[in-house]
Amino acid sequence: MSLIAGCFRRLTETPAKTELKGYKVTDVNRTRKFGVACRSLQELKRKACAKLNVTNDLAEVNVFLLDGSLIDEEYFSTLEPQITLILQKPGEKVLTDADLLYDTLRRVNIDFLTAGDKASEFLTENLKAKVAVLNNALNKDDSKTALSNRDEHPEWFRGLDTNYTTKEAYMHRRCQDRIRGYLYKTIDQIKSSDTFSKDPRARKQLLYAIAFFKMQLKEDHYFGHYFDRSRTKIEALESRDELDSSSCYDHCPCRLNRLDGSTYFRLFGTMDHSCVDGGKKKEKDCKVDSKTEEEEDEENCPYTVKRKNRESCVALCDRNGEFRCNGVWNVEKCSYGERHRINPYRSREELVLFSTWNFDHKIERTRTLIPLLLNLSSHGIANEADIFEIYENLFTVKNLRLVHIVCHDKGTHK
């Protein structure tokens, strides 16, 4: 196909194939909610700012899921229509986990949490102990735990901003969201450092490290399998071939290669419309916009992305979906034993409480791993082995422990 024909095809196909989708947007206080129809994250920001009377520059405005996950353009392309998104202005804080927990518990009608301000106070003060009480009070009815589909267990999906039809797909996505959160926090800490802003040589190495983290996470499917009970060890051992997009969910980044040309073009590059002049195409001007710094970093990244096989992609739960706490970061196992276990596949209430379980970095991300990366980059000695080891410690269970809120030690790990 000639260059002119290719340009004309992209220009004419984009309006027809770029799907207009509807979303709900709210502010950080959840006091107002509006519907927005858009085709891209930038368009959503623009329309949402108009609805919510936000006058900041769009670059200063962030968009989050209700669980606190930050949305970028690529991630936005995987979202389902009609979910609720939070618009955050500079200086604003997205609601805390305690606020989110209270709101969710209130919506699922847990009788003893309907006392308004008193209930909020209950969850804000000494939250760890209160969650332990709530966990013990849950109904442990296992009759519907093994059910997977929405039509089999509709109450499990009640109130969720999702069109997923299986529990496993929803849990897979939730784990990906958590890992994405670590990526965004890592990038923010790197880019806000003096090393990044003042040392050009270190900056380039750090940009390559960020590019590698993004590419390797895509290759690893953002470790969504950690929460997916269909990926337990037994199932993983049944097939030892490489894990590819044919065995994954539509929301996974590995499925982006299925996007049609115009959608891919919209997400990762735009046409220079000056190639159309009075209805006549000018071949010399018909080209794709220049690559972004991020795209160039990924293309020139000196670090090699490593492939994973299915055997290594194993869930952290058993076949029924039960998770067990790994205990405080510096102990062999959880000292609470059977009391610190949960099955979010059992009921909506346990799914809500599972949001209080966290991944705890044994070697801390903020205090140790990122400073190490900055130091290596400032001395120009960050090699591929170092970068991959830091990656594993940031994003994999080599260094992450899934823990009950009581066992999550946020103090210095020394």
Side-chain angles (χ1 to χ4, degrees):
M1 182 182 292
S2 69
L3 181 60
I4 293 177
C7 290
F8 182 75
R9 177 180 60 80
R10 294 188 182 103
L11 285 172
T12 55
E13 285 182 353
T14 299
K17 291 190 176 182
T18 302
E19 184 180 358
L20 190 69
K21 295 181 180 180
Y23 302 92
K24 302 168 188 174
V25 293
T26 185
D27 56 13
V28 293
N29 297 317
R30 318 285 180 90
T31 56
R32 295 177 292 168
K33 185 181 289 187
F34 297 96
V36 169
C38 59
R39 293 183 173 87
S40 69
L41 179 61
Q42 284 299 103
E43 185 179 3
L44 179 135
K45 284 185 179 182
R46 177 170 54 80
K47 291 184 175 180
C49 285
K51 295 276 190 181
L52 295 167
N53 299 319
V54 175
T55 58
N56 298 81
D57 187 277
L58 294 186
E60 299 176 333
V61 176
N62 291 318
V63 178
F64 291 84
L65 292 177
L66 290 178
D67 66 2
S69 299
L70 180 65
I71 304 298
D72 59 14
E73 188 70 60
E74 178 189 318
Y75 193 21
F76 179 79
S77 69
T78 70
L79 298 180
E80 298 177 0
Q82 300 308 317
I83 69 170
T84 299
L85 301 172
I86 301 173
L87 199 73
Q88 179 203 44
K89 297 184 294 185
E92 290 184 331
K93 186 176 182 179
V94 176
L95 292 178
T96 66
D97 287 345
D99 293 325
L100 289 172
L101 179 59
Y102 164 63
D103 181 65
T104 307
L105 290 172
R106 177 173 52 80
R107 285 191 285 110
V108 296
N109 298 318
I110 293 185
D111 294 336
F112 53 90
L113 288 179
T114 56
D117 293 338
K118 289 296 182 182
S120 183
E121 180 181 344
F122 169 86
L123 284 170
T124 302
E125 296 180 1
N126 198 12
L127 178 60
K128 290 184 177 182
K130 305 294 176 58
V131 168
V133 173
L134 292 178
N135 189 62
N136 291 332
L138 289 175
N139 179 9
K140 302 296 186 180
D141 179 9
D142 269 324
S143 62
K144 294 187 177 181
T145 303
L147 301 179
S148 176
N149 295 328
R150 180 187 289 268
D151 56 358
E152 297 174 325
H153 196 176
E155 59 268 29
W156 191 91
F157 292 87
R158 180 162 51 87
L160 298 181
D161 271 328
T162 180
N163 292 324
Y164 290 126
T165 58
T166 68
K167 298 176 183 178
E168 291 78 11
Y170 180 79
M171 293 296 292
H172 186 277
R173 178 59 176 264
R174 293 283 69 78
C175 189
Q176 287 187 331
D177 290 343
R178 294 201 189 195
I179 300 299
R180 283 180 186 273
Y182 297 142
L183 172 64
Y184 295 138
K185 290 176 182 177
T186 295
I187 294 173
D188 285 345
Q189 186 176 349
I190 290 173
K191 291 189 174 181
S192 63
S193 68
D194 288 342
T195 302
F196 185 86
S197 60
K198 298 178 180 179
D199 186 338
R201 182 182 65 172
R203 174 188 170 91
K204 198 60 185 176
Q205 283 208 342
L206 290 168
L207 287 173
Y208 284 147
I210 291 172
F212 172 76
F213 292 162
K214 291 180 176 179
M215 292 188 294
Q216 188 65 56
L217 281 172
K218 290 178 184 177
E219 177 64 32
D220 292 331
H221 304 239
Y222 284 88
F223 300 100
H225 57 269
Y226 285 158
F227 289 176
D228 182 355
R229 68 178 176 184
S230 69
R231 308 291 173 86
T232 56
K233 189 172 183 179
I234 294 175
E235 283 75 9
L237 291 175
E238 289 177 353
S239 177
R240 295 173 180 268
D241 49 351
E242 289 181 343
L243 184 65
D244 58 28
S245 62
S246 64
S247 62
C248 213
Y249 301 102
D250 286 339
H251 62 257
C252 202
C254 64
R255 306 300 288 270
L256 285 178
N257 59 0
R258 294 173 42 179
L259 294 176
D260 60 85
S262 63
T263 303
Y264 183 89
F265 214 66
R266 171 174 60 81
L267 293 175
F268 304 109
T270 55
M271 289 299 298
D272 182 354
H273 288 266
S274 63
C275 67
V276 178
D277 182 19
K280 295 182 179 181
K281 300 171 287 298
K282 298 189 295 181
E283 181 170 350
K284 66 185 179 64
D285 292 329
C286 190
K287 62 181 182 295
V288 179
D289 285 349
S290 59
K291 293 177 181 176
T292 65
E293 183 179 35
E294 178 179 322
E295 290 171 327
E296 290 181 349
D297 290 336
E298 291 188 4
E299 187 174 288
N300 299 321
C301 181
Y303 310 124
T304 304
V305 173
K306 296 176 173 54
R307 300 297 302 271
K308 292 289 182 70
N309 57 36
R310 187 184 299 274
E311 184 179 359
S312 64
C313 298
V314 178
L316 300 180
C317 58
D318 63 21
R319 298 187 72 177
N320 290 324
E322 181 174 276
F323 295 84
R324 292 174 178 263
C325 175
N326 292 132
V328 181
W329 65 274
N330 58 351
V331 300
E332 288 292 325
K333 60 182 181 179
C334 178
S335 61
Y336 291 87
E338 294 294 307
R339 286 182 290 170
H340 281 188
R341 57 178 181 165
I342 192 169
N343 191 333
Y345 290 88
R346 179 184 286 119
S347 67
R348 178 75 179 107
E349 291 78 14
E350 277 191 80
L351 174 62
V352 170
L353 280 179
F354 187 64
S355 67
T356 68
W357 284 52
N358 291 292
F359 281 120
D360 191 11
H361 286 84
K362 291 181 289 185
I363 303 173
E364 296 172 281
R365 182 189 73 247
T366 303
R367 298 185 180 101
T368 302
L369 293 173
I370 303 305
L372 172 61
L373 176 59
L374 295 174
N375 183 57
L376 291 173
S377 299
S378 66
H379 288 87
I381 56 174
N383 58 42
E384 184 168 304
D386 293 326
I387 297 300
F388 190 73
E389 182 175 4
I390 291 173
Y391 168 85
E392 286 193 312
N393 284 323
L394 284 171
F395 306 114
T396 80
V397 291
K398 174 182 179 179
N399 187 49
L400 295 176
R401 296 167 73 97
L402 183 64
V403 296
H404 186 285
I405 188 173
V406 171
C407 291
H408 190 190
D409 181 3
K410 293 186 178 182
T412 303
H413 292 185
K414 291 184 179 179

